[in-house]
Amino acid sequence: MAALALSFLGCRPGRGDVHAAVPPARPAVAPSGLVSSSTALPADDGQWLIPAKDYASTRFSGLDQINATNVGGLKVAWTFSTGVSKGHEGAPLVVNGTLYVVTPYSPATPNVLYALDLTRPGAPAKWSYRPKVMPAAQGVACCDVVNRGASYAGGRIFYNTLDAQTVAVDAETGQEAWVTRVGDINRGESITMAPLVVKDKVLVGNSGGEFGIRGWLTALDTATGKVAWKAYHTGPDADALIGPLFKPFYVAEQGRDLGVSSWPPDMWKIGGGGVWGWISYDPDLDLVYYGTSNPGPWNPDQRPGDNKWTCSIFARNPDTGQARWAYQWTPHDLHDYDGVNEQVLLDLPIGEKTRKVLVRPERNGYIYVLDRTTGEVLSADPFGYITSSSGVDTKTGRLMGVEAEKPEVGKVVRDICPAAPGMKDWQPSAWSPRTGLLYVPHQNLCMDVEGTEANYIAGTPFVGMNVKMYAGPGGNRGELLAWDVVGRRKAWAIPEAFPAWSGALATAGDLVFYGTMDGWFKALDARAGKVLWQFKTGSGIIGQPVTYRGPDGKQYVAVYAGVGGWSGAIVSGNLDPRDGTAALGFVNAMTDLPQKTTAGGMLYVFSL
């Protein structure tokens, strides 16, 4: 049995041409290619400096003081109230004895950065930084006023504000180093993503696919905040930074100016394709990887063609922004499947050799394994119930749609699975090199849709679809899935009443942590999937758990509680449950959430 490589930067793919859209087998199975529990792991310095812990986006910590034998003794060590009752989708950072919190937007607390002193009992605040954020940004935030966190590099904390600014703050003093406005709320642009710092560049992308924005990723100089490059995802190759180094694997991606020719005339100018999810980086290949969001409007009849480069993934040089390859997950997106999820970079055994791969649980319902040097799809396996497509052809890379599930203007099309949030939305998975499993929090939702005519007015909604979502087969609306990447199969799963909308955390203590929308923070046995510990927080959890070693030498686990986001908008936005089309149709699936949790905003920190 081959051992998994520990570099966190590659999967044994199947070579079949088509992977049919049938649910994985239900029984639990043993994972393939396990790493022995005695295998040495890379040293962990006990800090949490960037959103995903590492550039490979594993969200794995080598700390093991808290483990499967003692996790039942976890207790609250201390808490911190953010003062904001909107969705908390972020994660704290831990740097040099200080814990950093970025709040969601509120008029009274506009994306405030707090520095909490871990060297003192109760972690009192050392300082806070309050950026100047335009209140009008609330009007162009499609899915709650969330903020997904910050990054640390070179003595500074970098993060984004809802009104499309990127700020750099001195990590010791809280003094502002620079502020750069990178987007325009008057065009519907906002920013909810966490930036990533690669070498001397801060990488930032825009939100606003439901407002007719033109999506981009930009790189700012870490020292000055000046724009170093900007790559658009619709329009001519020159705008997309596609040049002679661009070598996509599939024929469908090899034409010239596809960002124009795959759209009706001028529609690419308002075609969406933002970047509000996650970025990974391979230092050996010197490439950053990230996905682009849905095309606009949702009504596909108004934008015939593949609509490149929306719902795609790019590999780019971080210094210049020049694209190396691209691949479109969902051409001519019919169902708002986007393409912004995390990409986990692993080196895994394939036959007789180790191969560099990129693993991605995609919104369209498939767990993809790509060769990250070329963009070739090595495998694409369904990880839930799918009716909207019949599989992925790995010879062409093409997602094979089902004609009967195509939305139409004036006609209700029913039982589209997965629903618009996809099988898994932004909530990031975690990978353990000890178990060989990817831990995937996701949803089990289907939807009925009816197309409508969308009219573009800058800074206003540009959707063109009536949607009602509801629970998929089995009735559970969510699940924490353990996926055997090498064996390409489900190992085990924990069903959840509501969408599993929080991130996951895996540790060397053979634990997996995640939260539920009704407020339970859970620790599971990473190998068997058994719940070993749980704690009821004051609000639903949609944040990303982290773990760190405190100045006292003890291991801690931290997570935000504060329900909201798209899935929890019924609570954070106090929406009427009788309007099933509210929150772009999500309310219909969440009418009972207000009876299970209340709005809130609290950081919980646990220790033994």
Side-chain angles (χ1 to χ4, degrees):
M1 182 178 290
L4 297 177
L6 291 178
S7 67
F8 296 159
L9 288 177
C11 165
R12 189 203 84 191
R15 302 298 298 176
D17 294 338
V18 175
H19 303 285
V22 294
R26 298 296 297 178
V29 295
S32 305
L34 288 176
V35 171
S36 166
S37 60
S38 63
T39 301
L41 293 169
D44 192 312
D45 66 1
Q47 304 189 96
W48 199 281
L49 308 182
I50 60 177
K53 177 62 173 177
D54 51 41
Y55 277 139
S57 295
T58 66
R59 290 179 168 81
F60 173 81
S61 169
L63 301 182
D64 61 2
Q65 186 182 99
I66 301 170
N67 54 57
T69 66
N70 61 21
V71 68
L74 275 189
K75 295 179 173 58
V76 175
W78 54 274
T79 62
F80 175 78
S81 174
T82 66
V84 182
S85 59
K86 293 295 185 179
H88 285 61
E89 287 185 350
L93 300 182
V94 179
V95 186
N96 297 330
T98 302
L99 186 146
Y100 298 91
V101 170
V102 178
T103 71
Y105 176 84
S106 77
T109 314
N111 296 136
V112 174
L113 172 65
Y114 291 98
L116 308 181
D117 189 351
L118 298 178
T119 67
R120 298 175 61 190
K126 297 167 63 175
W127 51 259
S128 63
Y129 167 76
R130 301 175 66 88
K132 296 178 181 178
V133 183
M134 299 170 65
Q138 299 170 89
V140 295
C142 91
C143 311
D144 205 358
V145 290
V146 300
N147 185 289
R148 297 189 181 92
S151 287
Y152 169 85
R156 290 177 176 176
I157 303 293
F158 302 89
Y159 73 103
N160 299 310
T161 64
L162 187 66
D163 66 343
Q165 299 180 93
T166 301
V167 300
V169 179
D170 186 283
E172 282 295 319
T173 67
Q175 294 298 305
E176 178 181 292
W178 52 257
V179 177
T180 301
R181 183 168 296 282
V182 292
D184 182 358
I185 62 172
N186 294 316
R187 295 201 301 260
E189 293 179 307
S190 59
I191 297 183
T192 56
M193 72 172 294
L196 184 69
V197 179
V198 175
K199 296 188 280 188
D200 62 349
K201 302 291 190 300
V202 186
L203 303 177
V204 180
N206 61 346
S207 304
E210 284 66 50
F211 288 82
I213 56 101
R214 185 185 179 199
W216 44 257
L217 182 77
T218 193
L220 307 177
D221 182 272
T222 56
T224 65
K226 292 182 178 179
V227 174
W229 53 261
K230 191 172 192 176
Y232 288 94
H233 305 126
T234 62
D237 286 353
D239 291 2
L241 300 187
I242 290 174
L245 298 178
F246 187 61
K247 306 292 182 182
F249 186 84
Y250 293 104
V251 172
E253 273 77 53
Q254 291 174 3
R256 291 179 59 85
D257 292 324
L258 295 179
V260 175
S261 62
S262 62
W263 292 85
D266 291 334
M267 279 293 290
W268 57 267
K269 297 178 180 178
I270 52 174
V275 181
W276 51 269
W278 306 107
I279 304 172
S280 300
Y281 174 56
D282 184 336
D284 293 332
L285 297 176
D286 198 22
L287 291 174
V288 293
Y289 304 90
Y290 68 95
T292 65
S293 73
N294 60 289
W298 284 18
N299 181 352
D301 290 339
Q302 293 183 237
R303 45 176 176 79
D306 277 0
N307 310 138
K308 296 189 184 305
W309 296 92
T310 64
C311 296
S312 299
I313 182 172
F314 275 95
R316 294 188 184 274
N317 179 285
D319 299 314
T320 65
Q322 288 294 312
R324 185 70 53 83
W325 58 260
Y327 167 69
Q328 192 170 34
W329 309 105
T330 307
H332 187 57
D333 180 23
L334 301 177
H335 305 117
D336 184 47
Y337 284 162
D338 265 64
V340 300
N341 289 359
E342 73 282 1
Q343 35 279 314
V344 184
L345 310 185
L346 304 173
D347 295 342
L348 297 182
I350 301 173
E352 299 301 318
K353 65 178 183 179
T354 298
R355 194 161 179 174
K356 294 180 178 293
V357 301
L358 178 155
V359 183
R360 171 117 158 187
E362 189 48 54
R363 278 176 66 158
N364 62 23
Y366 299 88
I367 291 183
Y368 287 78
V369 178
L370 273 61
D371 184 315
R372 69 176 183 273
T373 64
T374 66
E376 178 188 6
V377 177
L378 303 175
S379 63
D381 297 302
F383 63 105
Y385 182 68
I386 302 174
T387 65
S388 56
S389 63
S390 59
V392 177
D393 185 338
T394 55
K395 284 186 175 179
T396 65
R398 195 80 177 183
L399 178 72
M400 300 180 295
V402 174
E403 183 65 24
E405 299 285 34
K406 181 182 182 298
E408 295 185 31
V409 174
K411 177 183 176 181
V412 176
V413 181
R414 302 188 186 280
D415 299 320
I416 298 172
C417 310
M423 194 73 71
K424 190 188 82 66
D425 202 341
W426 73 277
Q427 65 269 43
S429 54
W431 158 265
S432 172
R434 290 174 54 85
T435 65
L437 298 177
L438 184 71
Y439 303 96
V440 185
H442 69 103
Q443 51 270 5
N444 173 38
L445 298 174
C446 300
M447 66 180 178
D448 300 339
V449 305
E450 178 188 23
T452 64
E453 189 72 19
N455 296 306
Y456 175 74
I457 302 174
T460 65
F462 185 52
V463 178
M465 195 73 67
N466 292 324
V467 180
K468 285 190 175 181
M469 303 181 200
Y470 43 87
N476 58 300
R477 286 161 284 183
E479 181 179 81
L480 190 284
L481 167 68
W483 183 264
D484 178 357
V485 177
V486 173
R488 294 172 50 193
R489 57 192 177 183
K490 176 183 290 189
W492 51 259
I494 302 293
E496 293 291 350
F498 296 101
W501 207 259
S502 90
L505 163 68
T507 75
D510 285 341
L511 297 172
V512 177
F513 292 89
Y514 74 104
T516 69
M517 292 192 67
D518 51 354
W520 287 100
F521 189 44
K522 300 183 179 184
L524 274 57
D525 183 305
R527 300 179 184 273
K530 180 182 178 181
V531 177
L532 301 176
W533 170 87
Q534 58 184 352
F535 178 88
K536 186 68 164 66
T537 61
S539 182
I541 298 171
I542 61 170
Q544 308 158 50
V546 306
T547 187
Y548 66 92
R549 184 187 299 113
D552 57 2
K554 294 175 60 176
Q555 182 183 354
Y556 294 81
V557 179
V559 70
Y560 296 138
V563 78
W566 190 9
S567 62
I570 186 173
V571 175
S572 63
N574 194 29
L575 302 180
D576 189 339
R578 295 171 296 181
D579 181 5
T581 65
L584 297 173
F586 223 137
V587 162
N588 194 66
M590 307 297 287
T591 55
D592 55 337
L593 185 62
Q595 283 73 58
K596 301 295 184 179
T597 190
T598 57
M602 184 76 73
L603 171 70
Y604 288 83
V605 181
F606 302 90
S607 67
L608 294 173

